[in-house]
Amino acid sequence: MPEPQEPSVEPALDEQIAAYQREFRDLDPQVEKVVSALGRLNRRMNVAYGRQVAELGITNPEWEVLKTLVLAGAPYRMGPSELAKRLGLTPAAMTHRIDRMAAEGLVTRDRDETNRVRVIVELTDEGRAKWLEAMRMATAFEEELLQDLTATERALLGELLIRLLRRVEDTQPDAGGRLTGLD
């Protein structure tokens, strides 16, 4: 019987950059350090958030729907096509997600009383309670994450990240949604 293999360990950031430079001499190590650190931070934060919402009995995709409905404002209602668009999903994927969430009591799906053809997805009290608890957990995690930064450093980091985000949004306007045509 083969021995179980150790999980692969990601190389240290400096090791990764050195390997990249060895293979691609035009690499700017400062740029690579920023981009690689952001990528790693994003992955690790997504894992942490995933663990938190799993404790509440929901998934990251379900959390995204709850968050989108809350962002829409009271009464926390939206059509499935608008939800799909905001989340970068196909209508079929959105329907599947809404079906699961309705079965779990997180949302309801009803016909619009003013337009019987239109369907409305609405956050339930249970869905809002899960969202609130996830926010409490995320806030504690985020405070811990940034505990070593002063208020000034947090403000500066926020502004710098927003500048990077704007650059991506300006140069890659479709980067926030579903990628198509990559098959």
Side-chain angles (χ1 to χ4, degrees):
M1 183 169 215
E3 288 186 34
Q5 293 186 2
E6 297 269 333
S8 79
V9 176
E10 198 170 29
L13 206 50
D14 291 338
E15 292 172 1
Q16 176 182 321
I17 293 167
Y20 285 174
Q21 282 183 296
R22 182 184 65 238
E23 301 297 326
F24 183 68
R25 300 213 182 271
D26 292 339
L27 182 81
D28 181 333
Q30 289 178 323
V31 169
E32 190 59 36
K33 188 173 198 171
V34 169
V35 171
S36 294
L38 285 171
R40 287 183 184 200
L41 179 61
N42 182 56
R43 283 193 312 275
R44 285 162 175 78
M45 288 179 70
N46 282 336
V47 168
Y49 290 135
R51 285 186 183 123
Q52 289 178 339
V53 297
E55 287 180 31
L56 301 174
I58 60 175
T59 64
N60 268 340
E62 290 169 337
W63 158 252
E64 292 295 327
V65 173
L66 298 177
K67 179 174 66 173
T68 302
L69 289 169
V70 167
L71 288 172
Y76 314 114
R77 302 170 54 158
M78 191 176 288
S81 59
E82 180 64 19
L83 267 172
K85 182 179 176 185
R86 289 189 186 190
L87 293 171
L89 298 172
T90 64
M94 190 75 251
T95 298
H96 179 69
R97 193 171 295 177
I98 292 167
D99 287 346
R100 276 194 334 261
M101 293 180 72
E104 294 168 4
L106 301 171
V107 298
T108 59
R109 178 182 36 216
D110 294 307
R111 294 273 174 212
D112 185 340
E113 292 178 12
T114 61
N115 177 352
R116 302 296 295 161
V117 175
R118 187 168 181 244
V119 172
I120 297 292
V121 177
E122 185 172 346
L123 190 65
T124 64
D125 289 343
E126 182 179 347
R128 182 157 168 71
K130 297 264 185 181
W131 178 82
L132 284 168
E133 185 56 28
M135 287 299 293
R136 285 184 196 98
M137 294 168 82
T139 298
F141 167 71
E142 292 158 0
E143 283 293 327
E144 183 181 332
L145 176 69
L146 297 174
Q147 71 183 347
D148 296 332
L149 301 181
T150 66
T152 302
E153 289 170 329
R154 289 178 184 197
L156 178 60
L157 179 60
E159 289 303 314
L160 294 172
L161 291 172
I162 287 170
R163 281 174 48 192
L164 294 176
L165 179 60
R166 283 189 186 127
R167 170 68 68 182
V168 171
E169 289 172 344
D170 289 347
T171 61
Q172 306 290 319
D174 63 341
R178 180 176 164 72
L179 299 177
T180 57
L182 298 178
D183 301 327

